[in-house]
């Protein structure tokens, strides 16, 4: 069905424009032109008016762990390893497939309500084998959010048993899911995600890379989040992480590296030369006291940078608009340079560059891109003040906007949030399901 969307303002080509219409069909943006002209040319199209709203590209969350939303507020204000053991390792072994579904509904529903239209979920709880992967996919389908499942490959036996697979099992399961969902033109994609140098063997990482080559995708991997990881890699391999990846032959444009807090100058250069991508999670890095990734250096080197929320027990908010603000402010104070990451940079990281990182036509309101939009209320108090030419609007979206300003969310041409409420799954039902899991958790404390 053809649809014409008529917002007060639309953000396209790096600026806000008035009196524009967006023609969509089959979930794709077909044309952007004057609203009156579009209606004359397409009298059969349904027309949706967004009065007093600005249309922005849907935000892209390039790194999340949906099951961790169920752990929010547990083992909080602890050092990294203590947090890991008392939250992740303690509770994930008791998660059933249905618990994982409920956690994904919770995580994806909350972030979609706040403007996320695509999420890459780095998922590694396989207590019931591939049933967990399918539960995450089912939740995304039920909510109507676009999903890249970063199917984790993990063989360190110090972790809970439900995380661990042999290399052969991980390859078999990941390949099966990639074959089932990739290349179908749908809302679900699957990519390999060897966990990290401390939780995946070199053989497992190489296997993940080979799968990415076979299917023409990226592979995702945690890199240098904590200092101990770098020390352990140097002790065992006598190289730093990016040097080891280059030596293995897996450092290239297929790598989507997560965090990259503790890279040295040479590693940043290697990453730039390889045209690898970065999944940057500023909120989580601050929450866990990880450190500060050198975003200005990596941006100058041509690294594609997308924003991730990480899991909601290590952040604890899962809004990419929030991550835009934190990314810019953290870099400014760390580098003592107010211009090192601008509002426009942060917005691109959370939209266009996230789409580029995930190899999807998303994150921009342009012809040929997916019809994924967010409508924000121009009369919301957090977006004030505004001149008549709206020159402050971009800055207010990044630096001052509160979640209640997000009034509409459209994914694949379908409205999933209206007047700030999720339409696809009852929010009351989501909360009820979360409480059921909490009752089980409390019995296991």
């Amino acid at each position: 069905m053809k649809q014409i969307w008529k917002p007060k303002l639309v953000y396209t080509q790096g600026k806000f424009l008035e009196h524009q219409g967006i023609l969509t069909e089959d979930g794709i943006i077909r044309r952007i032109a004057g609203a009156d002209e579009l209606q004359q040319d397409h009298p059969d199209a349904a027309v949706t008016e967004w009065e007093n709203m600005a249309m922005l590209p849907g935000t892209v969350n390039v790194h999340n762990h949906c099951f961790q939303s169920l752990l929010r507020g547990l083992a909080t204000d602890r050092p990294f390893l203590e947090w890991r053991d008392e939250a992740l390792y303690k509770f994930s072994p008791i998660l059933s497939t249905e618990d994982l579904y409920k956690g994904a509904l919770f995580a994806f529903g909350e972030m979609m309500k706040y403007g996320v239209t695509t999420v890459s979920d780095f998922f590694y709880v396989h207590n019931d084998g591939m049933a967990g992967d399918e539960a995450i996919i089912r939740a995304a389908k039920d909510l109507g959010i676009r999903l890249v499942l970063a199917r984790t490959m993990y063989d360190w036996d110090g972790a809970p048993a439900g995380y661990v697979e042999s290399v052969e099992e991980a390859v078999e399961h990941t390949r099966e899911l990639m074959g089932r969902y990739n290349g179908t033109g749908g809302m679900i994609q699957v990519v390999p995600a060897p966990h990290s140098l401390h939780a995946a063997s070199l053989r497992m990482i190489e296997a993940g890379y080979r799968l990415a080559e076979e299917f023409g995708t990226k592979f995702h991997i945690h890199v240098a989040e904590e200092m101990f990881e770098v020390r352990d890699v140097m002790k065992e391999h006598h190289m730093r992480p990016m040097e080891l990846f280059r030596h293995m032959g897996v450092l290239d444009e297929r790598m989507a590296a997560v965090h990259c807090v503790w890279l040295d100058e040479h590693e940043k250069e290697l990453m730039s030369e390889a045209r690898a991508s970065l999944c940057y999670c500023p909120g989580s890095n601050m929450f866990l006291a990880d450190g500060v990734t050198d975003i200005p250096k990596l941006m100058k080197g041509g690294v594609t940078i997308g924003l991730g929320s990480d899991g909601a027990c290590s952040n604890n908010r899962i809004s990419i608009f929030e991550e835009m603000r934190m990314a810019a402010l953290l870099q400014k104070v760390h580098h003592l340079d107010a211009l090192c990451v601008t509002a426009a940079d942060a917005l691109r990281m959370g939209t266009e560059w996230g789409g580029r990182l995930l190899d999807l036509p998303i994150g921009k309101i342009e012809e040929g891109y997916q019809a994924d939009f967010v409508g924000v209320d121009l009369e919301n108090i957090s977006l004030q003040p505004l001149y008549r030419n709206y020159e402050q609007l971009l800055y207010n979206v990044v630096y001052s906007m509160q979640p209640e300003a997000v009034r509409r969310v459209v994914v694949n041409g379908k409205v999933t949030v209206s007047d700030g409420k999720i339409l696809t799954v009852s929010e009351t039902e989501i909360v009820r399901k979360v409480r059921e899991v909490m009752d089980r958790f409390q019995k296991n404390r």
Side-chain angles (χ1 to χ4, degrees):
M1 183 183 77
K2 289 182 181 179
Q3 181 109 2
I4 295 172
W5 309 81
K6 294 175 61 178
K8 172 72 173 174
L9 300 171
V10 58
Y11 188 77
T12 182
Q13 303 292 337
K15 55 192 172 186
F16 286 98
L17 300 178
E18 292 188 84
H19 312 302
Q20 298 294 293
I22 297 87
L23 176 71
T24 65
E25 186 178 19
D26 299 327
I28 305 293
I29 300 170
R30 301 299 183 187
R31 187 178 168 199
I32 301 172
D36 293 340
E37 178 185 346
L38 279 182
Q39 286 184 259
Q40 289 174 0
D41 292 348
H42 301 276
D44 57 331
V47 178
T48 300
E49 298 220 17
W50 282 7
E51 294 183 5
N52 297 316
M53 277 192 276
M55 177 184 282
L56 296 158
T59 66
V60 181
N61 187 348
V62 299
H63 187 71
N64 180 245
H65 304 286
C66 60
F67 81 93
Q68 292 185 16
S69 282
L70 295 170
L71 308 176
R72 185 159 62 187
L74 299 175
T76 302
D77 294 337
R78 309 281 184 90
F80 178 86
L81 292 177
E82 189 175 329
W83 160 83
R84 182 197 69 182
D85 291 346
E86 291 301 312
L88 303 187
Y89 285 11
K90 181 175 181 178
F91 290 100
S92 54
I94 66 172
L95 290 170
S96 68
T97 297
E98 191 60 21
D99 293 335
L100 293 170
Y101 171 76
K102 293 172 182 177
L105 274 185
F106 175 31
F108 297 161
E110 182 180 11
M111 69 177 69
M112 189 172 71
K113 183 182 171 80
Y114 300 152
V116 172
T117 53
T118 298
V119 57
S120 176
D121 202 77
F122 199 111
F123 181 70
Y124 51 85
V125 182
H126 296 110
N127 296 333
D128 297 314
M130 292 174 64
D133 302 305
E134 294 288 3
I136 306 312
I137 291 168
R138 177 162 56 98
K141 287 181 174 180
D142 289 348
L143 279 160
I145 198 168
R146 196 179 303 279
L147 172 67
V148 175
L149 180 71
R151 207 276 178 181
T152 308
M153 306 168 72
Y154 200 122
D155 60 352
W156 177 55
D157 60 9
Y163 295 9
V164 180
E165 297 173 303
S166 69
V167 173
E168 292 73 21
E169 288 170 334
V171 168
E172 177 187 352
H173 295 158
T174 306
R175 178 184 280 121
E176 182 176 337
L177 288 165
M178 294 175 80
R180 187 178 306 162
Y181 291 102
N182 293 10
T184 62
M187 296 271 289
I188 309 296
Q189 298 290 315
V190 181
V191 299
H195 185 276
S196 59
L197 280 167
H198 67 275
S201 64
L202 300 189
R203 185 164 163 255
M204 183 73 90
I205 293 170
E206 289 170 347
Y209 177 82
R210 297 302 169 206
L211 277 174
E213 273 192 322
E214 178 182 341
F215 284 87
T217 70
K218 294 273 199 326
F219 74 98
H220 292 225
I221 184 168
H222 294 96
V223 180
E225 180 179 4
E226 296 279 332
M227 285 185 285
F228 78 81
E229 299 173 45
V230 178
R231 286 196 298 263
D232 289 351
V233 170
M234 292 182 69
K235 182 177 180 180
E236 183 174 356
H237 301 286
H238 311 290
M239 287 179 274
R240 295 182 65 89
M242 286 296 172
E243 293 169 339
L244 178 57
F245 289 138
R246 184 182 63 170
H247 178 73
M248 294 168 62
V250 302
L251 176 56
D252 60 21
E253 70 281 354
R254 296 197 185 282
M255 178 181 285
V258 185
H259 300 305
C260 293
V261 177
W262 294 102
L263 302 184
D264 70 7
E265 293 303 307
H266 182 230
E267 287 180 288
K268 295 170 198 172
E269 292 169 3
L270 291 177
M271 193 173 178
S272 297
E273 291 167 4
R275 290 294 182 261
S277 302
L278 169 67
C279 303
Y280 179 42
C281 306
S284 177
N285 294 160
M286 287 190 280
F287 190 89
L288 295 175
D290 290 337
V292 184
T293 306
D294 189 352
I295 296 302
K297 172 86 174 191
L298 293 171
M299 274 202 307
K300 288 176 184 175
V303 172
T304 297
I305 301 169
L307 293 178
S309 63
D310 214 348
C313 64
S314 65
N315 185 320
N316 285 1
R317 299 179 181 178
I318 48 177
S319 161
I320 293 304
F321 284 118
E322 175 85 2
E323 297 300 321
M324 293 178 196
R325 181 176 191 269
M326 288 190 287
L329 297 187
L330 178 58
Q331 295 298 320
K332 290 174 192 291
V333 71
H334 180 71
H335 292 281
L336 302 180
D337 180 357
L339 302 180
C340 68
V341 174
T342 66
D345 293 331
L347 183 65
R348 283 191 289 265
M349 288 180 203
T351 55
E352 176 185 350
W353 293 352
R356 187 187 305 167
L357 186 151
L358 296 179
D359 290 332
L360 293 173
I362 58 173
K364 296 173 76 174
I365 301 177
E366 289 187 14
E367 293 175 11
Y369 277 69
Q370 299 287 343
D372 296 354
F373 315 132
V374 173
V376 299
D377 181 3
L378 289 167
E379 296 186 350
N380 185 270
I381 197 168
S382 69
L383 287 175
Q384 310 310 310
L386 291 172
Y387 285 140
R388 297 293 181 182
N389 65 0
Y390 302 103
E391 70 180 66
Q392 312 103 309
L393 183 54
L394 171 63
Y395 306 103
N396 290 353
V397 164
V398 172
Y399 293 129
S400 68
M401 187 175 75
Q402 295 295 321
E404 65 268 16
V406 176
R407 305 303 296 163
R408 300 281 192 280
V409 178
V410 175
V411 188
N412 202 41
K414 298 175 182 177
V415 179
T416 58
V417 174
S418 182
D419 294 327
K421 294 291 184 183
I422 301 170
L423 299 182
T424 47
V425 178
S426 162
E427 293 183 40
T428 300
E429 184 67 10
I430 292 173
V431 172
R432 184 187 68 78
K433 290 179 182 296
V434 171
R435 285 177 176 161
E436 290 173 352
V437 180
M438 290 306 98
D439 288 342
R440 289 188 52 239
F441 277 13
Q442 201 152 19
K443 293 175 183 176
N444 284 272
R445 295 197 73 173

